[in-house]
Amino acid sequence: MSDMTSAAEAPRSPGRPRSSRADEAIVEATLDLLAEGSTIEALSIEAIAARAGVGKATIYRRWPGKDALLLDALRRLKGVLPNPAGHSVRDDLVLLVGAVGHNIDPRAAKIMPCLVPEVNRSPDHFRLYQNIIAPRRQLMREVLRRGVRLGELRADLDIEVAMALLTGPMLMQRMLRWHPELDDVLLPDRIVDGVLDGIRAR
């Protein structure tokens, strides 16, 4: 009797525990559909649920809507943020420039270029894109500001323009293969050294 009483008095767990396998299946289904050519507009929760083998309610228990799910899926595609060591402004910039447009997941080569026209067409998708890249942009901004603070870079440096100078060539090369003969491994060093020639303190 005492066993039954203690069992009845034990607190119940608040519903079914969240399944990490379901989370993974939903995110993977989202990326697969995008890689297969689905646009953001055409992508539906119904299609994602069917591909992942879950119900729509399972998705809505995890994400409030499609945009929140897309944000998580595209962040996964981009991978973890680089971690600058903080010892050398040059080395930190090479690390960050090397991460521009670099994705281990092969689906990124199909997904990211297709997002560009959608980002340009839709203010909502533009905000989604900005939410993905803003933390990466902030990392580079902090490295450049540190360089100014330590006297390594010009005191009058335009931080935002410097970021554009550093990231633009790498993004163009990685997304469009603009110059096939450029060495992708050495390019981050060459870009950083070229820009530093103009922005170093005199």
Side-chain angles (χ1 to χ4, degrees):
M1 183 71 175
S2 60
D3 289 342
M4 293 178 63
T5 302
S6 60
E9 291 174 352
R12 291 186 176 183
S13 60
R16 186 185 304 170
R18 178 166 170 165
S19 165
S20 59
R21 283 188 298 178
D23 292 2
E24 182 77 14
I26 292 164
V27 169
E28 287 296 303
T30 303
L31 294 175
D32 283 342
L33 289 167
L34 288 171
E36 290 166 11
S38 176
T39 64
I40 291 179
E41 284 104 345
L43 189 66
S44 67
I45 293 295
E46 289 83 357
I48 296 169
R51 174 62 68 92
V54 301
K56 288 194 298 181
T58 301
I59 296 178
Y60 283 119
R61 277 198 297 270
R62 290 157 167 78
W63 292 276
K66 188 174 76 171
D67 283 352
L69 171 53
L70 277 169
L71 183 60
D72 279 355
L74 294 174
R75 279 177 176 158
R76 166 86 65 84
L77 193 68
K78 292 292 292 178
V80 297
L81 286 171
N83 185 23
H87 304 308
S88 160
V89 169
R90 180 195 178 275
D91 291 349
D92 287 350
L93 289 175
V94 169
L95 174 70
L96 296 176
V97 170
V100 172
H102 176 70
N103 303 282
I104 296 175
D105 193 319
R107 291 172 296 188
K110 297 179 179 178
I111 294 173
M112 299 310 289
C114 295
L115 292 182
V116 173
E118 298 195 45
V119 165
N120 289 331
R121 269 199 311 267
S122 164
D124 289 337
H125 298 160
F126 178 76
R127 283 191 292 272
L128 176 70
Y129 171 71
Q130 291 299 321
N131 284 335
I132 293 168
I133 65 168
R136 297 168 184 271
R137 193 164 51 224
Q138 183 60 24
L139 273 178
M140 184 174 289
R141 190 178 286 119
E142 290 168 1
V143 171
L144 291 168
R145 285 175 177 163
R146 189 179 83 235
V148 172
R149 190 170 62 251
L150 295 176
E152 296 181 42
L153 304 179
R154 290 167 42 179
D156 63 346
L157 177 64
D158 188 322
I159 299 290
E160 305 306 313
V161 171
M163 288 197 297
L165 290 171
L166 288 162
T167 57
M170 198 76 237
L171 193 60
M172 176 75 75
Q173 183 66 15
R174 287 230 165 111
M175 289 189 68
L176 301 178
R177 300 300 300 166
W178 185 79
H179 194 327
E181 295 178 9
L182 285 176
D183 187 327
D184 194 68
V185 175
L186 298 177
L187 190 55
D189 292 82
R190 295 176 65 183
I191 291 171
V192 169
D193 288 339
V195 174
L196 282 177
D197 280 345
I199 67 175
R200 276 197 182 97
R202 302 301 183 193

